[in-house]
Structures are given as C-alpha cells and as structure tokens.
Amino acid sequence: MSQVVIGVVMVFFAGMGIYGLISPASLVAPFGTALLSADARNEVRAVYGGFGLAVAAALAVAMHDVRLRVGVTTTVALALAGMAAGRIISMIVERPSRFYPTVLYLIVEATLAAALSAAH
C-alpha cells in the first residue's frame, strides 16, 4: 500500500512540475495571477516546475530504497502539510472567493500529507 501512496504523490508532483515548466501562466491563472514578465515565468518554472520534479524524483528514489523511504516521505508530508497550513492561515486573513482552486488544493495537500505520513 505504501508504494501506491508514494506513487500517487509522485505523479501529483511530476504533473505539477511538468505543467509548471511547460505552461507557467496557465498553472497560476486559476488564482487570478498574470505572469507579465520573463522573471515571473522563471519564478513559477523554478518553484512549481523544478521543485515539483525534484520532489517527484525523491519519491521515486524512496519507492525503491527502503533506507530512505521514511525520511523522504516524512519530508514531503511536512512540505505538503506546510502548504496546507499556509492556505489555512491565508483563509483566516482573507476568505477565498470560491472553492476552486484554493479550498480544493488545501484538501488535496492535506490528504496527500496524511496519506504519506501513514504510508511508512
């Protein structure tokens, strides 16, 4: 079961990474964010694209190396939990205008964090 959970989270991050590299403006458009400069697109490619692919790679390693599995899955679970916590704090400060994307992403991040925490 842990292999399946790790694989699902790996695919999530790989998808985010590829999408962030290929179409940074489309990735952030649901948030009402316009990427008006090369620097802005570079930032999205780095944070969503590069980081997403790096996390996917770390999870791929964790699937095949049991010595690293707990450390990698714990780290990624904490990163996801931090993303979810940041959304909750932001929602306290400013209420989101609609369910998608903010609330949906909160649910996805919290669910993946919990699943990874339970997987090892």
Side-chain angles (χ1 to χ4, degrees):
M1 181 56 116
S2 67
Q3 296 282 76
V4 172
V5 171
I6 294 168
V8 167
V9 179
M10 180 185 71
V11 167
F12 169 80
F13 274 101
M16 180 184 77
I18 292 167
Y19 192 33
L21 289 173
I22 292 172
S23 188
S26 297
L27 182 72
V28 298
F31 296 96
T33 303
L35 301 179
L36 302 177
S37 69
D39 292 334
R41 290 183 293 278
N42 179 288
E43 182 67 11
V44 172
R45 283 187 179 107
V47 175
Y48 289 88
F51 180 76
L53 291 177
V55 171
L59 290 167
V61 169
M63 286 180 71
H64 301 290
D65 189 337
V66 288
R67 296 169 299 151
L68 298 176
R69 186 169 298 151
V70 171
V72 170
T73 56
T74 299
T75 300
V76 176
L78 286 170
L80 284 161
M83 293 162 71
R87 290 189 194 280
I88 291 168
I89 292 165
S90 184
M91 288 175 184
I92 291 168
V93 174
E94 298 178 284
R95 177 167 241 127
S97 60
R98 58 194 190 282
F99 179 80
Y100 176 81
T102 307
V103 178
L104 176 63
Y105 288 3
L106 164 63
I107 293 166
V108 169
E109 291 156 358
T111 300
L112 294 179
L116 270 182
S117 293
H120 52 258

